[in-house]
Amino acid sequence: MHEEFMRRAIALSREKMRADEGGPFAAVIVRAGDVVAEGWNQVTGHNDPTAHAEIVAIREACRALGTFSLEGCEIYTSCEPCPMCLAAIHWAHIDRVYFANTAEDAAAIGFDDARLYRELALPHGERTLPMARLLADEALAVFHEWASDPDRVPY
């Protein structure tokens, strides 16, 4: 079954790429042997830099299942997830990731995630994107309020 789901992700990546809907990436989310959602790269089609295949599939799966947690699900993606997608997969609590192309394969055609991984490892002051902390006390007050709310929904 794993290969069948991966073949679907690869076929979807080809189909949507050829239809000029985005880059050569797609993902399929499966729960208990059933496809819950599919996603493909829609960055250029929707002018949305966050519309990577995995993100689109996660959004669709959450809508379909009516939950923000995808525990019990697996994701099949045509390429190793970038840092943003990997973080989203963790936040969604997906159980397992299967991928076809590697980050190195993606870099060879111009999608170089290594730069982002290097940036994330640096302290704020050493990153190429300038970052500055502002109004920490005011923002922390909101965090404390949320943490003390007995009706909060943890995630």
Side-chain angles (χ1 to χ4, degrees):
M1 291 295 287
H2 296 304
E3 290 178 355
E4 176 184 325
F5 296 130
M6 185 59 74
R7 282 195 180 97
R8 176 60 189 150
I10 293 167
L12 189 60
S13 72
R14 178 179 286 117
E15 173 190 334
K16 299 303 182 177
M17 176 195 66
R18 287 180 176 172
D20 291 326
E21 293 191 27
F25 306 96
V28 174
I29 296 180
V30 174
R31 183 173 72 174
D34 294 319
V35 173
V36 174
E38 296 180 335
W40 54 90
N41 181 283
Q42 299 175 19
V43 170
T44 58
H46 289 124
N47 294 320
D48 180 353
T50 68
H52 289 200
E54 297 90 340
I55 302 291
V56 172
I58 288 169
R59 290 173 181 160
E60 291 300 317
C62 289
R63 266 193 288 279
L65 297 173
T67 182
F68 56 81
S69 175
L70 298 178
E71 287 184 60
C73 293
E74 300 174 327
I75 189 167
Y76 295 80
T77 180
S78 63
C79 187
E80 183 177 355
C82 75
M84 175 182 69
C85 293
L86 185 58
I89 289 165
H90 278 282
W91 280 115
H93 301 284
I94 292 175
D95 292 355
R96 185 178 299 258
V97 178
Y98 297 96
F99 64 93
N101 291 317
T102 66
E104 291 79 17
D105 297 329
I109 63 166
F111 296 94
D112 190 4
D113 299 338
R115 173 183 59 86
L116 294 173
Y117 280 110
R118 284 191 304 272
E119 281 285 307
L120 290 172
L122 295 172
H124 294 145
E126 294 178 26
R127 294 179 182 171
T128 59
L129 179 64
M131 298 179 70
R133 188 174 186 192
L134 298 173
L135 303 176
D137 292 339
E138 293 177 33
L140 280 172
V142 178
F143 272 19
H144 294 303
E145 183 178 336
W146 183 86
S148 64
D149 181 353
D151 296 324
R152 74 180 180 276
V153 178
Y155 59 96

